[in-house]
Amino acid sequence: MNADAMNIFKFLRKKHTSALAVPPLEKRPRHIAFIMDGNGRWAQKRSLPRSAGHAAGTEALREIIKACDEFKIEVMSIYAFSTENWNRPQEEVSALMKLITKYFVSEIDELHEKGVKIKILGELEKFPEEQRLALEKAMEKTKDNKGLKLNIALNYGGRAEIVRAAKAISGKCVSGEMDVDKIDYDALSNEMYTSGDPDVDLLIRTSGDKRLSNFLLWQTWYAEIIFNPVFWPDYNRAELIKDLNEYAARDRRFGRVKTK
Ligand code: FPP
């Protein structure tokens, strides 16, 4: 993707204008998960190849990381590539791979400067060596950072993550390191890729589709969900502020009844 093409995609993205204020810190979610859906449809609507949608989606991602950092969100998790995405046409898979590597190579210094801590959720073994090394380097470089935690789900599946945790715990029980009676929610949480992170407070899926698509199934157990109809490349700071206001207005009861 050359620089001219990239500038055109930037230009085509919806500009942000918002009259709304960001809710106070105590009303903001600690952990937001994003299903960045609709890149392909955004591109098709403009008679562009699907890869152009992913490139424009990268611009949206850059803006949203900046906003989450500014709004003091603790954890931002994004679904970049699912275990099911390998079944897409080969050219799309390889365009996505290239885009992801390019993003990390070109953005890592700026993210590091902001104190962003990058963690990959998923199995990197299946990735081509160039991609794997770029991702491992990004994690290593930012591992002691104390700012926004950016979790990137790549070759990730929620069910596979739960099975992986169950296997780890069974192994500990078989070796005698853990007693079966000690298996509880925290024990399972500690075996997830997101170990140490708060559970997801807010899940945002763009594009209007209304499903979880195997994303963070364990961590979203009491998450508020917003299905925002805009395609991901048009998702911007103003849309995020709108969604944060909707979240702040929700009554989170966690299965209890209202006390006041
Ligand atoms: C879903 O849209 C989006 C993806 C499968 C990929 C998301 C990737 C990016 C935003 C690129 C940048 C990522 C990183 C980590 C730099 P879709 O293709 O399923 O769209 P459709 O539903 O309209 O077909």
Side-chain angles (χ1 to χ4, degrees):
M1 193 81 52
N2 65 37
D4 285 349
M6 219 41 208
N7 283 335
I8 292 170
F9 304 145
K10 267 189 215 177
F11 175 75
L12 288 173
R13 288 189 56 229
K14 217 165 104 182
K15 306 291 170 290
H16 65 76
T17 45
S18 176
L20 285 171
V22 182
L25 191 58
E26 67 280 8
K27 288 264 187 191
R28 291 177 212 160
R30 292 177 67 196
H31 185 168
I32 312 183
F34 291 93
I35 301 182
M36 311 181 286
D37 198 12
N39 292 347
R41 278 165 286 168
W42 183 91
Q44 273 154 8
K45 248 179 82 177
R46 291 161 178 78
S47 307
L48 292 166
R50 291 176 58 83
S51 56
H54 296 312
T58 309
E59 287 304 315
L61 178 61
R62 189 172 284 129
E63 186 171 322
I64 297 306
I65 293 174
K66 205 165 153 224
C68 283
D69 177 48
E70 190 191 320
F71 302 160
K72 307 234 167 336
I73 303 300
E74 280 174 53
V75 190
M76 165 177 176
S77 295
I78 56 169
Y79 208 4
F81 196 89
S82 73
T83 42
E84 291 76 33
N85 286 154
W86 293 109
N87 300 323
R88 293 188 173 206
Q90 183 51 41
E91 318 84 78
E92 186 175 342
V93 171
S94 77
L96 258 173
M97 292 289 152
K98 282 203 188 105
L99 205 59
I100 291 169
T101 321
K102 190 167 157 248
Y103 178 81
F104 281 105
V105 172
S106 65
E107 300 285 309
I108 188 63
D109 288 340
E110 200 183 322
L111 292 172
H112 185 48
E113 237 164 67
K114 282 199 177 94
V116 173
K117 179 177 174 166
I118 294 167
K119 186 159 71 177
I120 306 297
L121 318 178
E123 298 300 328
L124 280 187
E125 288 75 47
K126 220 178 148 183
F127 277 78
E129 199 182 2
E130 193 194 347
Q131 272 79 28
R132 199 166 40 78
L133 291 177
L135 295 163
E136 282 168 357
K137 209 168 140 195
M139 268 198 288
E140 178 57 30
K141 185 165 176 142
T142 61
K143 70 176 192 309
D144 297 323
N145 286 350
K146 300 280 180 273
L148 172 72
K149 289 182 173 183
L150 176 62
N151 293 337
I152 302 162
L154 285 165
N155 192 23
Y156 173 88
R159 278 188 156 198
E161 181 185 31
I162 294 171
V163 169
R164 181 176 170 271
K167 277 188 186 158
I169 290 197
S170 316
K172 285 182 181 171
C173 291
V174 170
S175 70
E177 193 189 320
M178 188 174 190
D179 200 281
V180 175
D181 296 336
K182 293 274 179 301
I183 301 176
D184 57 12
Y185 297 151
D186 284 346
L188 259 294
S189 289
N190 289 338
E191 298 297 340
M192 300 291 161
Y193 294 117
T194 48
S195 169
D197 298 340
D199 284 325
V200 175
D201 297 301
L202 171 62
L203 173 81
I204 298 173
R205 182 178 189 138
T206 57
S207 93
D209 283 351
K210 297 183 178 69
R211 54 181 168 268
L212 292 180
S213 299
N214 204 14
F215 190 42
L216 299 177
L217 299 180
W218 177 265
Q219 299 84 342
T220 52
W221 72 304
Y222 257 105
E224 295 298 320
I225 304 182
I226 293 179
F227 296 109
N228 187 316
V230 311
F231 293 141
W232 176 257
D234 281 332
Y235 195 78
N236 58 25
R237 196 174 189 273
E239 290 294 331
L240 176 62
I241 295 174
K242 195 172 80 187
D243 289 344
L244 288 175
N245 276 278
E246 180 174 339
Y247 171 82
R250 292 217 185 152
D251 177 25
R252 297 191 78 194
R253 293 189 302 279
F254 297 92
R256 295 185 293 262
V257 289
K258 209 171 176 170
T259 48
K260 59 175 174 60

